[in-house]
Every structure is written in C-alpha cells, then in structure tokens.
C-alpha cells in the first residue's frame, strides 16, 4: 500500500492558505461590488404601485444585490484572514466594522425584497412609508441604516491611514451616499426621483471601491 501523506503544515502550509484566501478575497471583491451596482441600477420604482406593476423584477433586483453583498463579506473575510493588505495591528476593527455593516444591509435587502411585494399587492399606499414600519421591520432596518455607513467609514479611515486613500474614499463615500438615498424614501416619499439618483451614484462609488480593493489585494499578493 502507498503511504498517505499528512496535509502540508508549517510555514509552507500557512503561506499556501494565505495565498488561497487572498485570491478568494480578490475575486469576491471584483464580483461583489459590480453585482450590487447592477441590482441597484435595475431597481424599479419604490412606491407600492410601481412595485406591484413590475411583478417579480423587484425581488430579482434584491436577489442580485444580496448575492453581491455576500460576495463582499467573503472578500472582507478573505482579506482580513490572509493579512492581504498589511494594515497594522489594529486593522481587524475596520474589517469587522465593514463586515457588520454589510451583513446588516444584506438582512435589510432580503427583508425589503420579500416584504414589499406582498404589501404592494394588498396595501400599495403604505409601502416604504412610516405606516409600514412595525417593530419587526424596525429591528432589521434601523441597525442597517446605522451600521452600513458607519462600518465603511471606519474601514475608509483605516485604509487611508495605510496608503489606500482612494480605495477607502470610494467605499466610505459610496456607502454613505447610497444610505442617504435610502433614507430619502422616508423623508421625500417613495416617488422621489432623487432616491434612485443617490442610490445609483453611491452604489457606483461603492462598487468602484470594491474593484479597487480586489486589485490592491492582487497586487499585494
């Protein structure tokens, strides 16, 4: 019988694992940002009557955004675990903040994409209004509106301090602008054209930030 060999361990095995994590993080970043942008661009009107009129498209756009967000989480985990950008001893805070914000926004996107089409069918006049925000929804929506922009602002600060200013600026500014667009739903009403304008503008910067992050990780490797 041929003797079996144990898995590679020690410095060589650690280096191989880190290389795999860096590669995974880079690819996930390069895919996750643009997918999120595509879902945002294709997003239909936010009022209940528009949502009811487009049928399954509303849910599909949220599915695309959700997949993009999951890929972004994978990229953040991969970069952190591999030490891909060598951002110092306290780098974990920035990565964990961005992960928390991304996961919170993932929950909001899934909730919004499943809840609003049902509400639009039976009570379109209350979709994306304070009248439709009960305790269960608020538990998901309110933390996401806080954690998403704050998480990426913290990561942006970390990246800027370590020579990745443009990557941080794109991610942080994009997340904040996109969130402001979402908040306008409750300030100006779901029919406001500025919602889509700000969300697409923010998602464009945000996606560009993840592309820049993916390229930076590849170069660092």
């Amino acid at each position: 019988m041929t003797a079996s060999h144990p898995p590679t361990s020690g410095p060589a095995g650690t280096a191989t694992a880190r290389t795999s994590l860096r590669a995974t993080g880079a690819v996930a970043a390069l895919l996750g940002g643009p997918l999120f942008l595509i879902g945002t661009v294709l997003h239909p009107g936010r009022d209940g009557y528009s949502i009811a009129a487009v049928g399954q498209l509303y849910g599909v756009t949220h599915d695309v955004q959700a997949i993009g967000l999951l890929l972004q989480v994978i990229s953040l985990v991969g970069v952190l675990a591999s030490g891909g950008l060598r951002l110092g001893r306290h780098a974990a805070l920035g990565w964990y903040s961005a992960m928390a914000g991304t996961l919170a926004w993932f929950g909001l996107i899934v909730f919004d994409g499943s809840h609003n089409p049902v509400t639009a069918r039976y009570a379109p006049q209350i979709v994306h209004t304070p009248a439709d925000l009960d305790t269960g929804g608020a538990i998901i929506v309110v933390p996401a509106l806080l954690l998403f922009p704050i998480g990426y602002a913290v990561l942006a600060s970390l990246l800027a301090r370590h020579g990745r200013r443009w990557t941080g600026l794109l991610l942080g500014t994009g997340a904040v602008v996109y969130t402001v667009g979402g908040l306008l739903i409750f300030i100006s009403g779901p029919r406001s054209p500025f919602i889509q304008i700000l969300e697409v503008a923010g998602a464009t910067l945000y996606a560009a930030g993840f592309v820049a992050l993916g390229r930076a990780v590849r170069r660092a490797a």
Side-chain angles (χ1 to χ4, degrees):
M1 296 177 64
T2 302
S4 60
H5 297 281
T8 302
S9 59
T14 301
T16 300
R18 286 182 175 176
T19 300
S20 298
L21 287 168
R22 279 196 297 267
T24 300
V27 172
L30 292 170
L31 293 175
L35 270 177
F36 183 78
L37 173 60
I38 291 171
T40 304
V41 170
L42 296 178
H43 198 296
R46 274 77 175 170
D47 64 284
Y49 298 98
S50 296
I51 294 171
V54 298
Q56 296 182 0
L57 177 62
Y58 189 85
V60 170
T61 60
H62 283 70
D63 291 341
V64 173
Q65 287 179 304
I67 293 170
L69 289 165
L70 284 179
L71 286 169
Q72 291 162 28
V73 172
I74 292 171
S75 74
L76 295 170
V77 171
V79 175
L80 172 63
S82 68
L85 293 181
R86 301 177 180 87
L87 300 183
R89 295 173 55 189
H90 304 293
L93 175 62
W95 298 114
Y96 284 132
S97 298
M99 285 179 217
T102 310
L103 287 171
W105 204 263
F106 171 81
L108 183 151
I109 288 295
V110 172
F111 169 78
D112 190 85
S114 57
H115 171 81
N116 284 330
V118 176
T119 306
R121 181 176 299 179
Y122 300 104
Q125 71 280 3
I126 70 169
V127 171
H128 278 144
T129 68
D132 192 36
L133 190 62
D134 57 14
T135 302
I139 290 173
I140 298 173
V141 173
V142 174
L145 290 170
L146 296 173
L147 290 174
F148 186 66
I150 291 174
Y152 278 95
V154 173
L155 179 60
S157 176
L158 170 71
L159 291 168
R161 290 199 306 270
H162 292 83
R164 308 284 182 180
R165 181 171 59 182
W166 281 108
T167 302
L169 186 64
L170 288 168
L171 288 170
T173 304
V176 171
V177 172
Y178 177 85
T179 305
V180 170
L183 286 170
L184 275 182
I185 291 175
F186 300 102
I187 298 172
S188 303
R191 290 183 177 272
S192 172
F194 294 105
I195 297 169
Q196 181 71 350
I197 291 172
L198 286 174
E199 287 197 353
V200 170
T204 300
L205 296 174
Y206 180 74
F210 266 100
V211 171
L213 177 63
R215 294 179 64 185
V217 173
R218 280 187 167 180
R219 287 195 297 268

